[in-house]
């Protein structure tokens, strides 16, 4: 797709390069590249490359010039040349971009190899982590595919047509067809005319009438796109280059970026065109979308706080027409790549395009359900045939008749970007059941009447059941989520197991074993050692009990509940780092916090005491001034549960 890179459009015009030496030609190509004049840059770079000149910079920028215009096959050719050079000098981003172009060619195995390397090099990058977590992404996409029937929308030209929006009984969309006359002002990013808004009536048989220009007040001599209308049809939000009242705004690099504007319908004319208050000359704000209640505006931007090339944001629309402060949708939605073209359905589903989440190549369309608390459920790739190996974006749907439109840059299309009509034949539903059997660890016998608790990834209780006569339990869970299953039964040691739920419908099996409590104990013995309790973790410099520490403490609690005369002394120790005074105070607070936890759980205060010993009872050589490894220091950072009475 060519025009959808709107987030980076600048208003620069064509020039004819003069023949210089290769170095001069490269210099000229770099100038065009820096001006975002990618069509001109390609022309210069390819002349140099075809004469046999090779350099990482040349191949990177030549590949990028095609990549930013969604010419992935041609981009792949030059990225391949780049990787024939010294790989040690290649920036990590090019592993990702090359992988994306290979996907567009169907070379997924080679693309995945590059993504593995990308994840090793860029360990903190969300895109690499998502790939590593979802290496079965092609199977997930396959399972989500086949739910739509698609066809040409019937309004496409030989140019770019994209980003449709419903307006009354019509469709309003952006196009670079430019019906204004003989002279066409072209944009040097795409070598196409600037986009205007067009409108096409939806006829009774569902087809679209011949498009005409939408509004002379809204259309300008620069780009307009991605309109969204309020339900009453009186207000429109739309994207336009930074241009108003005949004046063009520029950033520090003299580029004219994108802003969102608002217009009001009066006497059949769109008037009172104003830009939204969170626009800025120095960054792009584009592609507005409204929530079903029209109290929230979603949009794409590269404003400060953006994780990647463009992120999705939301902003409150106040009752008086003012706006709140834009809020980034966070790393559950946004990546270091491009997230753009949001749309929120009447069923409160957020659809958006992304090249950062695992997909088929280029931009893919994803959906994330928004619950009442605006919590965003993990995005899901909506599958083929809507998604393809090229760019797919600008998805909208009428949830009543299940008919919608999306834009795509496909080899068999009529123009560059084309608008496709679809019908959703099958709703994307993922149903998962988490189930298993509770069994005795020693005998293998099933254990009925066991309390089984489902916890979310933050260790918050979700649901509680009792295993049946066959030791069986079951929970309905969300796809793609992480849970913990905790099993409790008197006379047995509490056990908890992590469960990772698949992203496709099915059943996740998880059996849980329970061991008999280790008894009897002797006075002076450490229950923690007997029960093989893991280290009790505290946040740095803090004494509050963390959820993961509660899991281990629950094992001691079960023993104390089973033996009502048992008394223990909680002893907390630190390593020798930090001062004696600080270590003693911190360990004492942690011991007393642990004692308070037991009392809160119903243990009589007379049965549990506690004290911190700081670094006074080290169990190895690692005293002050002695060089020790981290592992050696860890031996000293311990909690003990000493039996005082039986």
């Amino acid at each position: 797709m060519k025009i959808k890179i709107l987030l980076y459009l600048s208003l620069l015009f064509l020039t004819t390069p003069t023949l210089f030496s290769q170095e001069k030609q490269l210099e000229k190509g770099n100038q065009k590249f820096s001006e975002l004049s990618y069509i001109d840059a390609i022309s210069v770079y390819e002349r140099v490359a075809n004469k046999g000149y090779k350099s990482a910079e040349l191949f990177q920028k030549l590949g990028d010039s095609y990549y930013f215009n969604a010419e992935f096959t041609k981009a792949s050719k030059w990225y391949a040349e780049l990787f024939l050079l010294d790989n040690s000098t290649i920036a990590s981003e090019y592993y990702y971009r090359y992988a994306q172009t290979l996907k567009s060619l169907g070379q997924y195995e080679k693309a995945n190899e590059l993504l593995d390397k990308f994840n090793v090099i860029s360990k903190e990058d969300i895109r690499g982590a998502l790939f590593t977590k979802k290496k079965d992404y092609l199977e997930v996409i396959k399972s989500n595919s086949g739910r739509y029937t698609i066809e040409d929308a019937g309004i496409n030209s030989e140019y770019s047509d994209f980003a449709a929006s419903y307006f009354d009984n019509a469709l309003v969309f952006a196009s670079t067809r430019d019906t204004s006359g003989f002279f066409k002002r072209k944009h040097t990013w795409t070598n196409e005319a600037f986009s205007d808004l067009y409108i096409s009536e939806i006829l009774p048989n569902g087809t679209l009438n011949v498009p005409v220009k939408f509004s002379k007040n809204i259309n300008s001599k620069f780009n307009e796109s991605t309109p969204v209308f309020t339900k009453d049809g009186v207000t429109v939000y739309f994207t336009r280059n930074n241009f108003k009242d005949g004046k063009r705004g520029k950033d520090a690099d003299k580029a004219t970026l994108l802003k969102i504007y608002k217009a009001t319908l009066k006497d059949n004319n769109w008037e009172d065109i104003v830009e939204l208050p969170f626009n800025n000359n120095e960054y792009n704000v584009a592609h507005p979308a409204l929530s079903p209640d029209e109290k929230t505006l979603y949009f794409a931007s590269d404003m400060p706080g953006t994780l990647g090339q463009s992120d999705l944001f939301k902003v409150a629309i106040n009752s008086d027409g003012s706006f709140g402060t834009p809020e980034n949708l966070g790393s559950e939605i946004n990546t270091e790549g491009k997230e753009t073209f949001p749309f929120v359905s009447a069923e409160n589903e957020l659809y958006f395009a992304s090249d950062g989440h695992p997909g088929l190549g280029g931009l893919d369309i994803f959906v994330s359900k928004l619950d009442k608390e605006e919590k965003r459920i993990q995005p899901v790739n909506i599958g083929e045939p809507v998604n393809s190996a090229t760019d797919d974006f600008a998805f909208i749907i009428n949830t009543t008749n299940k008919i919608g439109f999306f834009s795509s840059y496909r080899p068999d299309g009529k123009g560059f970007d084309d608008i496709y009509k679809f019908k959703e034949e099958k709703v994307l539903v993922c149903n998962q059941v988490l189930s298993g059997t509770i069994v005795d660890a020693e005998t293998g016998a099933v254990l009925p009447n066991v309390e089984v608790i489902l916890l979310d990834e933050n260790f918050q209780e979700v649901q509680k059941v009792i295993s049946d006569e066959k030791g069986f339990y079951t929970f309905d869970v969300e796809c793609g989520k992480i849970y913990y299953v905790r099993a409790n039964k008197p006379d047995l040691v509490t056990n908890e197991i992590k469960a990772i739920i698949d992203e496709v419908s099915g059943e996740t099996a998880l059996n849980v074993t329970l061991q008999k409590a280790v008894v009897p104990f002797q006075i002076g013995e450490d229950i923690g050692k007997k029960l093989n309790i893991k280290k009790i973790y505290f946040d740095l410099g803090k004494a509050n009990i963390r959820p993961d520490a509660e899991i281990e403490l629950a094992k001691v609690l079960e023993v104390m509940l089973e033996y009502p005369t048992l008394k223990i002394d909680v002893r907390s120790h630190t390593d020798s780092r930090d001062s004696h005074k600080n270590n003693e105070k911190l360990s004492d607070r942690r011991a007393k916090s642990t004692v308070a936890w037991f009392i809160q759980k119903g243990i009589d205060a007379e049965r549990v005491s506690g004290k911190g010993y700081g670094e006074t009872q080290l169990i190895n050589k690692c005293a002050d001034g002695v060089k020790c490894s981290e592992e050696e220091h860890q031996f000293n950072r311990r909690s003990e549960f000493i039996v005082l009475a039986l």
Side-chain angles (χ1 to χ4, degrees), residues 15 40 146 150 156 240 300 347 368 386 393 506 518 555 623 625 643-644:
T15 59
D40 291 348
I150 70 170
N156 292 307
R240 178 196 278 174
E347 296 177 351
S368 175
V386 170
F393 59 103
V518 181
K555 298 176 184 179
V643 177
L644 298 181

Side-chain angles (χ1 to χ4, degrees), residues 574-580 583 615 618 622-626 633 636:
T574 69
D575 59 35
S576 62
R577 292 176 291 188
D578 207 347
S579 68
H580 283 274
N583 283 333
E615 58 183 277
L618 302 176
C622 300
D624 291 338
V626 178
H633 281 300
N636 292 313

Side-chain angles (χ1 to χ4, degrees), residues 77-147:
K77 170 187 174 181
W78 297 111
Y79 288 151
E81 292 290 340
L82 171 65
F83 275 78
L84 290 175
L85 303 177
D86 182 8
N87 285 9
S88 65
T89 63
I90 298 175
S92 62
E93 184 64 23
Y94 287 95
Y95 285 83
Y96 192 84
R97 290 180 188 171
Y98 188 21
Q100 287 292 92
T101 65
L102 289 171
K103 285 184 184 180
S104 71
L105 297 171
Q107 298 179 26
Y108 290 101
E109 187 174 341
K110 187 174 180 181
N112 291 345
E113 290 175 3
L114 285 167
L115 289 173
D116 274 325
K117 293 176 182 177
F118 172 76
N119 189 46
V120 170
I121 299 170
S122 302
K123 296 184 179 182
E124 302 301 318
D125 196 293
I126 297 169
R127 295 170 296 175
L130 284 171
F131 169 72
T132 302
K133 181 181 177 181
K134 303 177 181 180
K135 287 200 171 182
D136 62 343
Y137 71 95
L138 290 175
E139 290 301 314
V140 173
I141 293 172
K142 183 179 179 181
S143 71
N144 294 338
S145 296
R147 300 183 303 106

Side-chain angles (χ1 to χ4, degrees), residues 572-597:
S572 178
H573 303 269
T574 69
D575 59 35
S576 62
R577 292 176 291 188
D578 207 347
S579 68
H580 283 274
K581 184 177 181 180
N582 287 345
N583 283 333
E584 194 169 316
K585 286 182 177 179
L586 178 60
S587 63
D588 198 56
R589 288 201 308 273
R590 288 176 172 176
K592 286 179 169 52
S593 178
T594 305
V595 169
W597 184 89

Side-chain angles (χ1 to χ4, degrees), residues 455 459 484-487 494-498 512 547-548 551:
L455 307 169
F459 296 96
Y484 294 87
V485 175
R486 181 186 298 168
T494 297
N495 191 15
E496 184 174 281
I497 301 179
K498 183 178 182 180
V512 183
D548 51 354
I551 299 168

Side-chain angles (χ1 to χ4, degrees), residues 196-211:
D196 280 336
L197 295 183
Y198 288 75
I199 184 168
S200 176
E201 179 189 4
I202 301 174
L203 300 175
N205 63 1
T207 61
L208 294 168
N209 207 346
V210 177

Side-chain angles (χ1 to χ4, degrees), residues 299-300 310-312 329-330 332-335 338-344 349-357 363-370 376-382 387 392-396:
F299 61 93
S310 68
D311 281 6
L312 298 188
L329 294 193
E332 197 163 43
I333 298 293
N334 295 315
T335 70
K338 291 193 294 285
E339 279 69 47
T340 186
F341 291 97
F343 169 78
V344 184
E349 295 170 315
L350 172 66
Y351 290 88
F352 64 97
S354 171
D355 66 2
H357 293 269
L363 291 169
D364 272 21
I365 297 167
F366 294 81
V367 61
S368 175
K369 182 72 176 178
L370 302 173
R376 295 167 284 278
I377 295 174
Q378 192 171 40
V380 176
N381 188 302
I382 66 172
N387 284 328
D392 310 290
F393 59 103
F395 179 103
I396 64 171

Side-chain angles (χ1 to χ4, degrees), residues 21-35:
S21 65
Q22 288 181 347
E23 289 75 14
K24 289 290 185 181
Q25 286 288 293
L26 275 175
E27 189 176 312
K28 188 172 185 63
N30 290 343
Q31 178 64 31
K32 292 297 180 185
F33 186 91
S34 68
E35 293 173 350

